[in-house]
Amino acid sequence: KAGVTQTPRYLIKTRGQQVTLSCSPISGHRSVSWYQQTPGQGLQFLFEYFSETQRNKGNFPGRFSGRQFSNSRSEMNVSTLELGDSALYLCASSFLGAGRPYEQYFGPGTRLTVT
Amino acid sequence: GQQLNQSPQSMFIQEGEDVSMNCTSSSIFNTWLWYKQDPGEGPVLLIALYKAGELTSNGRLTAQFGITRKDSFLNISASIPSDVGIYFCAGRWDTNAGKSTFGDGTTLTVKP
């Protein structure tokens, strides 16, 4: 079974631009979560989507948004990029169902550099 | 908000030695997770713990869910060079939700 895939793997953007990152979960997984990883703040939860609805949200400004499509694929968008948005953005998927533990499987991440 | 203190921050050990790391929280969690992350990759789930007091093994790895639900530890026995990496603990309040709080990681270096 293919793992979580994220595209692109690397991205360089200029301050003020916007960016869209994509995540394809493991087949059959309907929950997708996004995390930001930086050396200073570590791994921080951004948001979680399930069945195209946002279920949980972390403490990030409104410039960070996401969505999930009917095939469970998810995108996250960051508008008006700031230098501090440079980070590894990780997507994690999980099967959500009765009797199954909620275990997250991470993708390789998208390395975003803002200059 | 919830915070996790993970220690030690880094470890330098000889191949064959045992390793122990732990996480403590200011709040209780209902799920504890341990991940390993290699450079350029996402974290890989090693062990998931769902009950206070639970002790679970995965090969040479053993992890325990603390009785108070505010701590967890991970032991690695007979370390090998491929154990090198960053180990993260994570806690979840809602067992069936994707919001996990992560520790800052323990960087493990194994000298052959």
Side-chain angles (χ1 to χ4, degrees):
Chain A
K1 193 182 254 191
V4 178
T5 57
Q6 291 187 246
T7 55
R9 291 293 308 274
Y10 302 92
L11 204 50
I12 300 175
K13 288 286 189 178
T14 304
R15 193 169 45 182
Q17 287 185 316
Q18 71 150 17
V19 67
T20 299
L21 312 181
S22 180
C23 171
S24 292
I26 293 171
S27 177
H29 286 193
R30 293 191 295 161
S31 168
V32 174
S33 297
W34 288 89
Y35 289 81
Q36 181 196 64
Q37 187 175 28
T38 60
Q41 299 297 318
L43 269 155
Q44 293 196 300
F45 173 78
L46 280 157
F47 28 66
E48 179 200 9
Y49 286 87
F50 175 73
S51 290
E52 302 178 63
T53 301
Q54 188 179 89
R55 288 210 310 165
N56 283 290
K57 191 176 190 308
N59 296 323
F60 279 81
R63 300 185 297 107
F64 292 82
S65 63
R67 60 176 175 169
Q68 186 179 34
F69 302 94
S70 59
N71 62 358
S72 294
R73 190 176 70 84
S74 177
E75 288 181 347
M76 69 161 280
N77 185 77
V78 188
S79 62
T80 319
L81 284 166
E82 301 176 0
L83 296 179
D85 296 334
S86 294
L88 182 66
Y89 289 89
L90 292 159
C91 165
S93 78
S94 179
F95 177 89
L96 190 67
R100 291 271 298 270
Y102 190 98
E103 294 179 352
Q104 289 179 307
Y105 296 86
F106 282 85
T110 294
R111 172 74 63 186
L112 172 65
T113 302
V114 182
T115 63
Chain B
Q2 295 168 326
Q3 290 193 347
L4 287 186
N5 293 312
Q6 186 172 350
S7 64
Q9 196 171 17
S10 60
M11 300 183 77
F12 295 82
I13 62 169
Q14 206 72 36
E15 183 177 356
E17 290 183 352
D18 296 345
V19 171
S20 184
M21 58 191 79
N22 68 84
C23 270
T24 58
S25 169
S26 56
S27 316
I28 62 174
F29 287 114
N30 288 318
T31 301
W32 280 96
L33 307 149
W34 286 92
Y35 291 89
K36 177 175 183 266
Q37 186 175 26
D38 292 325
E41 301 294 328
V44 173
L45 181 65
L46 299 173
I47 293 179
L49 302 157
Y50 300 100
K51 292 181 187 176
E54 179 181 356
L55 186 72
T56 297
S57 293
N58 177 8
R60 294 179 295 105
L61 278 60
T62 302
Q64 184 157 28
F65 191 141
I67 290 291
T68 65
R69 294 199 285 161
K70 289 186 177 183
D71 62 341
S72 178
F73 73 76
L74 175 72
N75 284 342
I76 305 173
S77 63
S79 58
I80 58 179
S82 63
D83 290 334
V84 165
I86 304 177
Y87 291 79
F88 290 97
C89 63
R92 280 209 301 263
W93 167 250
D94 185 343
T95 300
N96 290 315
K99 182 177 180 178
S100 296
T101 300
F102 280 78
D104 289 337
T106 294
T107 301
L108 178 63
T109 302
V110 179
K111 292 180 266 187

